[in-house]
Amino acid sequence: FLQTVTGVSPTVVVSSDAEWTMETIEVTGTKPAPVAATSSSATAPSSATASSVLSIARRYIGVPYVSGGSTPAGFDCSGFTKYVYAQVGENPPRDSYSQRYAGTVVPASQARPGDLIWWPGHVGIYTGNGQHIAARQPGTALHEGPIWRANPIYIRVLS
């Protein structure tokens, strides 16, 4: 939350002899069934899973871009999309080129939030209304904003 509001990461200083512990919690569940899309749902997620993708993706706003990064410590574009989709039970390939073929291409007029948005060398997650969320380039934190390149390819990974 602090990063989103101020754009600055807080600094935490810890003694070098500090001890850390972490409790492990097991979570189980089932993947929700997709909800049928209607022609009026062009800017709304088509299922609970698509809503989950957007919710999960937005948790990582502010994470730094790290070349080759695939964890919340730092993401590159395809590491981010793979990580997010894995949280809803999907397993797209690791690199952006292969993610281009991870689902079904849909025309821009039928793109829905939760679809991948792809260009050669870059991939992100479409959030609707001409916006997407992605790890874009070194020196910039992951963020949601306007689609800045022309002619993206939209890829439906979720049912």
Side-chain angles (χ1 to χ4, degrees):
F1 177 74
L2 184 60
Q3 289 177 321
T4 303
V5 173
T6 65
V8 176
S9 298
T11 301
V12 177
V13 179
V14 178
S15 172
S16 63
D17 61 349
E19 293 186 29
W20 298 88
T21 61
M22 182 184 310
E23 181 179 334
T24 302
I25 300 172
E26 184 175 335
V27 178
T28 61
T30 59
K31 184 175 177 180
V35 176
T38 64
S39 60
S40 65
S41 66
T43 61
S46 63
S47 69
T49 303
S51 294
S52 297
V53 165
L54 298 182
S55 175
I56 292 164
R58 288 177 173 137
R59 288 181 202 160
Y60 301 105
I61 289 174
V63 169
Y65 180 97
V66 172
S67 182
S70 59
T71 72
F75 290 112
D76 66 11
C77 65
S78 59
F80 169 66
T81 54
K82 180 170 179 61
Y83 187 88
V84 169
Y85 280 94
Q87 304 301 305
V88 296
E90 298 294 334
N91 189 26
R94 171 59 178 93
D95 64 283
S96 63
Y97 176 81
S98 297
Q99 285 185 16
R100 158 65 177 85
Y101 301 99
T104 304
V105 172
V106 295
S109 62
Q110 294 177 20
R112 298 189 303 225
D115 289 343
L116 285 175
I117 183 169
W118 183 91
W119 300 269
H122 182 68
V123 66
I125 298 171
Y126 182 61
T127 60
N129 298 318
Q131 304 283 309
H132 82 299
I133 186 169
R136 295 189 170 125
Q137 62 190 18
T140 62
L142 190 141
H143 64 281
E144 184 173 358
I147 295 168
W148 80 96
R149 289 181 168 173
N151 304 314
I153 295 175
Y154 296 89
I155 303 150
R156 178 104 1 104
V157 176
L158 306 170
S159 304

